[in-house]
Amino acid sequence: MNKAKYINFLFLLFLISSCSLTKGLKEGEYLVYDVNVKGVKKSDKSDISDLIQQNPNTRVPLLNTSVGISIYRFGEWVYDSTKHLNRQAELLAERDTLRKISDEKQLSKKQIKRINKINNNLTSLGKKLEYGNFFMRTGNPRVIFDSTLTEETTRQMKFYLVNNGFFDAETDFETSFKNKKARITYLITEHEPYVVDSFYITSEDEGILALLEQNQKGNQIKVRENYNQNSISRERQRVEDLLKDNGYFTFSRSSLEYNVYKDTVEHTVKIEQIIRNPSFSEGHKVYTLDSIYFFIDPPSEAFVDYEFHNTFRDIVFEVYEDRYSEKIISSRIFMEKGNLYNKTNVIETQRQLANLDLFRFVNIAFDTLGNVLRPRIYTQSNQKYLITNQLGATITEQVPGPFFSHSLRNRNLFRGAEIFEFFFRAGLEGVVSATGEGGVFRSRELNTSASVIFPQFLLPLNVNSLERFGRYNPRTRTLIGYNYINRPEYIRESINGIIAYNWNTRNLRQQYSVNALDANFIRSNLSEDFLALLKGLEEQGNNLINSFLPSYVSSVSGQVIFNFNQYGAFQKNKASLWRLFFESGGTTLNFVSSSFVAERSLAYFQFLKFQSDYRKYVPLTKDQTFAYRLNLGLAKPYGVSNGVLPYEKYFFAGGSTGIRAWQPRRLGPGSFAPNTLEDGSFDYRFEQPGEILFEGMFEFRSKIYGYFDGAIFVDVGNTWTFNQDLSRPGANFEFNRFYKEIAVGTGVGLRMDFDFLVVRLDMGIKAYDPARLPGQRYILDSFFRSFPGQRGQTVFNIGIGYPF
């Protein structure tokens, strides 16, 4: 059986390698096979390489072939453009016939529906004619040498070097042709870069000169640094923004000019910034604001005669229906009568009014009278109710399962811009049982909640707090919810209530949340096998059974997220995210009398929990990135908790978003070794909760072809307990051995990136297993000696989205 697998594998490799990359090329055509850049010493080689307009196709190492080309050529082989052209002509003729009928009489609903279907089919055919079939769009055509594009690349390289201070740079290229393959070498001669010797400003406007003098710290053109054209562009933008934030409403960057004077002997430049006055005026005007007008347009003409007028904080409200809070809306308007025009405040006003989720659009216009501006804010009400239904699949442990969710949103619930949300979700999923003899079992989950979001802090603050905090998009969420989980081991129900405060900084780089109250009443129904397991652990000194008793769990928590350069968004720049979380359990017991808890025989807990999660994304080339994640967590029970945490507050390691070479929640803690099965492998049926967590995940991602991306990853980490656990020897954290208990997993991944959805398949391989005896923990070599290695050494993970 194994021999057959190897034969089939080798036969597949033979088929792929037999596809010659140059087969079928016409006379004078050459495949771009290799591209190099030489001579780059002081400038950024990566940026210069990105300018290359013809890069070789991605090839399989050693096999000297390209999967992308093979797929594309297969698509060409089965592609019939004539069929699509004939079908296109038929549809166009049918559509023209229907349009002629519409000129004579009104079309029926069926005919209109047919025209719409024809238009959709024509759009699809157009894509097939332009881009080919699925295989052609997924694969890659061969890159054929084009001297025009090569010459254009050298011009772009020279342009880049000049813009970065290498005014005397020279660029050229060499090509060699052999066996229908072209090898291109770009030759760069940088010479000495020019350094900025001085920077000065010239303007006839004394007010502008004084303003720029006061704000020199933000100057983007740095003396004694290499000349850089981008720094001039940034300085131009900075000056425009600065002036528009200080009353210069009509100022335009076209009034800015830059002269660069070169000293070819000293290789220095002097940069002069000239601010010219408008041709129609002696100087640039400074504008102040008049009263602000706020309009809510009616949804239809039927409401035109029902307008209400009111004035609050020098803001004139003209609305079609008197059901909006002027106090709330005015707290999100950062323009005041008598102040200078400020572009940043205008943009912030537009953004914060949009954050209220009350309006379809927010437009701000200005009426000009001399040096006075009258702001006019135009909006239109959003629909009051929004209903969303979703049907999909989810996976957290083993096998994906279906889920259905329903949400209802009611805007402006109490006429104070409040948002009411109702949520319901039910789903099934395949999971690993903690007591079963292997296999996949069904898990059912149901969640429902109702919440009200207030656009302010519900705190006893002074009357000016609305205006003071309006810039930070303050929100108070009150929620009551019910959760039901039915796993093979237990049925767990909980009722929870939350009062949470959320806000963010003006630049959106920091997001804050504080849960002032998070109260949960929990009830569990355990299976006989799981109850026996927990009682057996209790006899060994492990009190995990207390986590499944009827209980009251309350906590106060806070979280801050530092998001640098929009981490998680589609981008090509470096980005990072750092999340800090702190939770104190048992501090809200004062809200419930002790007799209430005691009479119902409810267990309750006191604990402290901390987590630091740092993630970074580093682009290496246009198609390759490096990403990593460092995750540290601590959870310590104290007081009445009897050394036990609520089960949901423990840390777990392993799974598709953790250490991927281990099954979900099965790694650790420490060097604890699960029971050994008859075949010598470990029994990973049981979840392994821990109180200390460390995870490090490192991943190299590269585009393969079309929608397909590949990844190579290394994951390290484990969990530990603070104290010794007699039922799990080696589980506790010790400084003299914890570093020997850090598990290491590696592997490869395949991702299908459809922009709106990423489907991920990762194969994790255990490389260093701390559960084994010292001296036997390195097991990666066994994977290569006998594929796929020891039993349980390889774990496959299916996921939606990237792991971090």
Side-chain angles (χ1 to χ4, degrees):
M1 190 69 174
N2 288 334
K3 289 183 178 179
K5 289 182 179 179
Y6 284 121
I7 291 172
N8 291 333
F9 179 68
L10 293 173
F11 181 68
L12 178 63
L13 293 181
F14 172 77
L15 286 177
I16 295 175
S17 61
S18 64
C19 299
S20 171
L21 295 178
T22 57
K23 185 179 179 180
L25 289 179
K26 299 177 183 178
E27 184 68 28
E29 287 186 339
Y30 296 91
L31 178 78
V32 175
Y33 194 77
D34 191 27
V35 175
N36 288 307
V37 179
K38 291 184 178 180
V40 179
K41 298 177 181 178
K42 298 179 181 179
S43 49
D44 192 318
K45 190 172 183 178
S46 176
D47 287 348
I48 292 177
S49 298
D50 287 342
L51 299 173
I52 297 173
Q53 298 194 25
Q54 284 193 298
N55 283 296
N57 295 99
T58 302
R59 300 191 297 271
V60 178
L62 302 179
L63 297 181
N64 193 29
T65 187
S66 170
V67 177
I69 290 179
S70 300
I71 293 174
Y72 185 86
R73 291 173 71 175
F74 175 77
E76 281 187 313
W77 181 54
V78 299
Y79 180 66
D80 185 0
S81 61
T82 304
K83 181 180 70 174
H84 297 313
L85 288 170
N86 292 338
R87 180 58 178 161
Q88 185 184 53
E90 292 174 4
L91 292 173
L92 288 171
E94 183 181 357
R95 188 176 67 177
D96 290 342
T97 301
L98 289 171
R99 285 179 172 175
K100 288 179 181 178
I101 295 174
S102 68
D103 293 337
E104 301 174 1
K105 63 178 182 178
Q106 187 174 359
L107 293 176
S108 66
K109 291 183 177 180
K110 186 176 181 181
Q111 289 172 323
I112 294 174
K113 187 176 180 180
R114 178 58 185 166
I115 288 180
N116 292 333
K117 187 175 182 180
I118 289 173
N119 290 333
N120 292 334
N121 290 337
L122 286 172
T123 302
S124 178
L125 282 172
K127 290 181 180 179
K128 290 179 180 179
L129 288 169
E130 184 175 359
Y131 302 109
N133 55 27
F134 169 80
F135 297 101
M136 296 171 70
R137 295 193 300 271
T138 303
N140 308 110
R142 289 179 293 189
V143 180
I144 307 301
F145 173 75
D146 186 336
S147 60
T148 304
L149 294 177
T150 307
E151 290 173 358
E152 178 62 24
T153 297
T154 60
R155 285 194 290 270
Q156 292 296 327
M157 288 179 173
K158 184 176 178 65
F159 184 70
Y160 170 86
L161 290 166
V162 170
N163 281 344
N164 284 272
F166 297 91
F167 294 131
D168 303 324
E170 302 172 46
T171 59
D172 203 352
F173 68 92
E174 292 178 350
T175 54
S176 62
F177 305 97
K178 185 178 180 181
N179 298 329
K180 288 290 187 177
K181 297 174 183 177
R183 291 174 168 81
I184 309 170
T185 302
Y186 291 98
L187 306 173
I188 308 293
T189 306
E190 294 174 327
H191 297 298
E192 285 296 317
Y194 282 68
V195 177
V196 178
D197 177 67
S198 61
F199 171 69
Y200 55 96
I201 304 171
T202 302
S203 175
E204 297 177 3
D205 193 311
E206 296 296 331
I208 290 180
L209 281 176
L211 186 60
L212 294 177
E213 184 71 24
Q214 295 169 8
N215 293 272
Q216 286 185 350
K217 282 187 177 181
N219 192 348
Q220 298 295 305
I221 300 174
K222 309 296 183 182
V223 177
R224 291 185 294 278
E225 289 188 4
N226 288 0
Y227 171 85
N228 187 306
Q229 180 67 33
N230 289 334
S231 65
I232 292 181
S233 300
R234 292 194 300 269
E235 176 64 12
R236 187 191 299 271
Q237 185 64 54
R238 184 190 76 91
V239 171
E240 181 184 17
D241 291 342
L242 177 64
L243 295 180
K244 286 194 171 183
D245 280 350
N246 286 272
Y248 292 89
F249 173 69
T250 58
F251 184 85
S252 170
R253 68 177 66 187
S254 60
S255 300
L256 287 170
E257 293 183 12
Y258 292 88
N259 292 325
V260 179
Y261 304 101
K262 293 193 298 183
D263 185 334
T264 56
V265 177
E266 298 294 333
H267 286 85
T268 60
V269 296
K270 296 180 179 180
I271 302 177
E272 178 187 21
Q273 178 178 267
I274 304 174
I275 304 174
R276 300 195 181 280
N277 288 333
S279 57
F280 55 83
S281 173
E282 295 182 357
H284 296 275
K285 289 184 179 181
V286 176
Y287 291 82
T288 56
L289 300 180
D290 197 357
S291 295
I292 296 98
Y293 282 77
F294 184 90
F295 302 90
I296 299 181
D297 294 340
S300 67
E301 294 183 0
F303 293 87
V304 171
D305 297 331
Y306 297 91
E307 288 190 355
F308 292 85
H309 298 262
N310 195 13
T311 301
F312 183 83
R313 273 189 54 214
D314 290 322
I315 302 174
V316 180
F317 289 86
E318 293 188 11
V319 299
Y320 74 92
E321 191 175 359
D322 188 19
R323 61 184 182 92
Y324 294 92
S325 169
E326 289 92 353
K327 182 184 288 187
I328 295 294
I329 292 175
S330 66
S331 71
R332 304 299 176 100
I333 297 176
F334 312 111
M335 298 177 286
E336 292 187 27
K337 181 178 180 180
N339 286 359
L340 292 177
Y341 166 80
N342 186 300
K343 177 185 175 183
T344 299
N345 285 344
V346 174
I347 295 174
E348 188 70 8
T349 296
Q350 194 169 25
R351 186 166 67 89
Q352 293 298 348
L353 286 174
N355 282 338
L356 291 175
D357 195 27
L358 293 179
F359 310 111
R360 293 178 185 270
F361 60 83
V362 178
N363 295 330
I364 302 178
F366 294 90
D367 293 338
T368 307
L369 182 62
N371 284 25
V372 177
L373 298 174
R374 175 170 291 174
R376 305 175 75 86
I377 304 173
Y378 297 95
T379 67
Q380 187 178 73
S381 293
N382 219 331
Q383 59 184 5
K384 183 172 179 59
Y385 298 100
L386 176 65
I387 298 175
T388 304
N389 294 310
Q390 286 186 328
L391 182 65
T394 185
I395 177 171
T396 55
E397 291 193 25
Q398 285 291 313
V399 177
F403 75 86
F404 169 77
S405 68
H406 167 83
S407 64
L408 166 68
R409 170 170 286 207
N410 181 352
R411 297 181 173 94
N412 204 32
L413 179 65
F414 304 125
R415 300 191 175 187
E418 304 87 1
I419 305 293
F420 170 77
E421 291 183 338
F422 172 79
F423 177 77
F424 172 84
R425 185 183 188 277
L428 299 175
E429 193 176 350
V431 298
V432 178
S433 171
T435 57
E437 294 296 333
V440 177
F441 297 83
R442 184 175 61 183
S443 171
R444 288 169 287 185
E445 185 176 354
L446 184 148
N447 301 310
T448 185
S449 64
S451 63
V452 179
I453 305 171
F454 299 86
Q456 57 181 307
F457 292 136
L458 293 184
L459 291 171
L461 302 172
N462 61 45
V463 293
N464 295 323
S465 62
L466 270 176
E467 288 74 21
R468 184 186 306 169
F469 299 117
R471 293 179 181 270
Y472 305 103
N473 191 24
R475 286 150 290 157
T476 300
R477 175 188 289 268
T478 59
L479 177 145
I480 184 168
Y482 169 76
N483 300 301
Y484 171 85
I485 298 176
N486 187 336
R487 288 180 59 99
E489 311 91 344
Y490 57 81
I491 297 175
R492 195 169 176 87
E493 297 177 276
S494 67
I495 297 175
N496 66 304
I498 295 175
I499 299 177
Y501 302 97
N502 301 276
W503 70 98
N504 50 255
T505 57
R506 291 170 59 181
N507 58 13
L508 300 181
R509 288 189 175 182
Q510 290 94 44
Q511 300 174 35
Y512 300 89
S513 62
V514 173
N515 282 9
L517 172 66
D518 187 350
N520 298 265
F521 291 94
I522 301 172
R523 183 179 66 179
S524 300
N525 184 7
L526 311 182
S527 68
E528 293 183 1
D529 291 341
F530 191 53
L531 181 60
L533 170 65
L534 294 176
K535 287 183 176 180
L537 294 175
E538 186 179 26
E539 291 174 359
Q540 302 175 52
N542 186 317
N543 293 321
L544 183 61
I545 190 173
N546 292 340
S547 295
F548 290 90
L549 296 175
S551 57
Y552 169 71
V553 179
S554 67
S555 68
V556 175
S557 63
Q559 176 176 274
V560 57
I561 297 176
F562 301 94
N563 192 334
F564 304 102
N565 211 10
Q566 296 182 337
Y567 180 91
F570 179 76
Q571 58 184 26
K572 297 182 180 180
N573 302 319
K574 289 183 180 180
S576 59
L577 181 143
W578 187 20
R579 183 177 73 92
L580 294 173
F581 174 81
F582 179 79
E583 184 175 17
S584 175
T587 52
T588 57
L589 286 174
N590 292 329
F591 290 96
V592 179
S593 67
S594 58
S595 60
F596 178 85
V597 177
E599 289 171 2
R600 288 159 178 77
S601 301
L602 295 176
Y604 52 96
F605 304 86
Q606 290 179 296
F607 61 91
L608 296 174
K609 187 173 183 179
F610 170 79
Q611 190 170 5
S612 173
D613 185 351
Y614 181 78
R615 309 175 183 200
K616 189 157 188 175
Y617 170 94
V618 183
L620 301 176
T621 65
K622 181 181 178 181
D623 297 323
Q624 297 176 333
T625 59
F626 176 71
Y628 66 89
R629 176 190 182 194
L630 299 175
N631 188 20
L632 172 67
L634 305 170
K636 176 67 173 175
Y638 70 95
V640 298
S641 292
N642 206 15
V644 178
L645 292 166
Y647 198 67
E648 291 80 7
K649 303 301 180 180
Y650 279 105
F651 292 110
F652 297 88
S656 63
T657 58
I659 315 298
R660 284 163 279 185
W662 273 261
Q663 295 177 10
R665 297 176 167 230
R666 265 56 180 187
L667 172 59
S671 57
F672 166 68
N675 294 330
T676 304
L677 300 175
E678 292 181 0
D679 60 2
S681 63
F682 286 129
D683 181 1
Y684 283 118
R685 288 177 298 160
F686 310 118
E687 295 182 354
Q688 300 297 339
E691 298 166 343
I692 302 172
L693 170 71
F694 169 71
E695 288 180 327
M697 306 169 67
F698 307 89
E699 188 166 285
F700 172 78
R701 302 167 183 169
S702 178
K703 196 164 194 62
I704 301 178
Y705 54 88
Y707 302 115
F708 294 93
D709 297 344
I712 301 173
F713 59 84
V714 175
D715 301 331
V716 300
N718 206 338
T719 62
W720 292 267
T721 60
F722 280 100
N723 301 318
Q724 289 187 357
D725 185 344
L726 297 179
S727 66
R728 297 186 293 176
N732 63 308
F733 182 90
E734 295 286 352
F735 277 103
N736 61 352
R737 60 175 171 84
F738 84 91
Y739 59 91
K740 301 177 184 178
E741 299 170 345
I742 295 178
V744 180
T746 186
V748 295
L750 180 67
R751 289 84 193 272
M752 288 179 285
D753 189 347
F754 302 105
D755 291 337
F756 64 93
L757 175 69
V758 176
V759 180
R760 172 168 54 91
L761 174 63
D762 289 329
M763 182 182 74
I765 306 165
K766 295 180 178 66
Y768 182 87
D769 188 353
R772 300 180 184 273
L773 295 174
Q776 302 177 13
R777 293 175 175 174
Y778 178 76
I779 59 173
L780 183 61
D781 55 345
S782 67
F783 173 82
F784 296 104
R785 284 200 308 267
S786 57
F787 181 82
Q790 303 177 13
R791 178 179 171 86
Q793 186 176 1
T794 305
V795 176
F796 289 91
N797 295 282
I798 301 174
I800 303 298
Y802 287 101
F804 57 92

